[in-house]
């Protein structure tokens, strides 16, 4: 595993989804959804994460793909749907992932892309100084969240990180304002501002372009933004597609994923192309 396509840094979670009297359990978190997208599209992805003995990860992930820090209590989210609206709560929150606490050294791997995608700001500072030969992509969501009485709250300001270090920054209208996206675009080459069923705005070279998405029937929106981000990374940086085509294909990939619960409807490349 010395040369890998993508290395994601951010915790795998346990997701509980409640719809009426039905309850679904799944792994979750941006790193997990990125892993599943990469698997569907034929690329390899490694994950830096906390793991606990309370989950059998091997049922869902090749353990050789994990660089992990052991913990007693993993991150748990509860997603409760009422009248089609998702209310999210944090049952258990993570600690910091630290380079010197991982089960094996990172010096043995050379990722083409490093995807910084925390859930709740759990990435230790040393990770930002590594992998300087890789493309670096930031998923903003986990950097602007905090927990208050079990609920996720937004910080309402940009985090104190150097956006110049990232080739791309991906964020959503749920994370922060478009005004802040424009501020980030002054520092990072590409900014992707996702807007759910309204598509995405791509900011690059001082230009803003809106890419619409397809219409679908929503079942579960959990992980949709994560699927979008991982798809974009693969289409643009690994498959070398045009910037706007990459965004268009990522819109389709994310839209198709919400037609099922959790990760059950993550699409293959052919499925994405058939919905263009």
């Amino acid at each position: 595993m010395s040369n890998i396509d993508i290395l994601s840094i951010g915790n795998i979670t346990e997701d509980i989804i409640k719809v009426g009297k039905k309850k679904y359990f799944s792994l979750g978190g941006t790193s997990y959804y990125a892993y599943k997208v990469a698997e569907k599209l034929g690329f390899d992805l490694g994950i830096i994460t906390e793991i606990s003995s309370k989950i059998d990860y091997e049922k869902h992930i090749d353990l050789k793909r994990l660089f992990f820090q052991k913990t007693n209590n993993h991150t748990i989210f509860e997603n409760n749907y009422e009248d089609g609206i998702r209310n999210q709560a944090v049952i258990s929150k993570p600690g910091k992932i630290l380079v010197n606490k991982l089960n094996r050294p990172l010096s043995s791997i050379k990722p083409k892309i490093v995807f910084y995608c925390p859930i709740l700001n759990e990435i230790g500072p040393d990770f930002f100084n590594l992998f300087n030969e890789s493309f670096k992509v930031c998923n903003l969501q986990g950097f602007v969240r905090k927990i208050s009485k079990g609920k996720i709250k937004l910080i309402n300001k940009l985090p104190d990180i150097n956006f110049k270090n990232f080739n791309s920054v991906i964020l959503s209208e749920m994370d922060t304002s478009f005004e802040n996206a424009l501020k980030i675009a002054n520092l990072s080459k590409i900014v992707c501002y996702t807007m759910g069923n309204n598509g995405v705005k791509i900011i690059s070279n001082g230009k803003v372009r809106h890419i619409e998405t397809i219409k679908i029937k929503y079942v579960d929106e959990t992980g949709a933004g994560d699927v979008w981000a991982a798809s974009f990374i693969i289409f643009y940086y690994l498959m070398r597609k045009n910037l706007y085509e990459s965004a268009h294909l990522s819109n389709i990939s994310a839209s198709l994923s919400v037609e099922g619960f959790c990760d059950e409807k993550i699409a293959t490349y052919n499925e994405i192309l058939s919905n263009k």
Side-chain angles (χ1 to χ4, degrees), residues 5-33:
D5 295 317
I6 307 168
L7 177 68
S8 69
I9 309 176
N11 277 336
I12 297 171
T13 68
E14 179 183 357
D15 287 356
I16 304 168
I17 299 172
K18 293 181 177 180
V19 183
K21 294 182 179 180
K22 294 183 178 180
K23 187 183 288 189
Y24 302 85
F25 295 88
S26 173
L27 293 187
T30 307
S31 283
Y32 176 71
Y33 279 96

Side-chain angles (χ1 to χ4, degrees), residues 4 15 47 69 88 114-115 149-150 171 194 218 222 237 254 268:
I4 60 173
D15 287 356
I47 301 174
Q69 174 178 304
Q88 193 171 58
V114 180
F115 185 30
K149 297 180 181 179
L171 61 155
T194 63
Y218 275 71
T222 306
Y237 290 106
T268 65

Side-chain angles (χ1 to χ4, degrees), residues 129-158:
N129 300 320
L130 302 176
F131 309 115
N132 291 326
E133 295 181 2
S134 306
F135 286 105
K136 293 186 177 184
V137 180
C138 171
N139 199 55
L140 189 71
Q141 179 178 256
F143 290 103
V144 294
R145 286 171 158 183
K146 64 179 180 179
I147 302 299
S148 177
K149 297 180 181 179
K151 299 292 185 181
I152 298 173
K153 304 291 184 181
L154 294 179
I155 295 173
N156 293 323
K157 64 178 182 179
L158 292 177

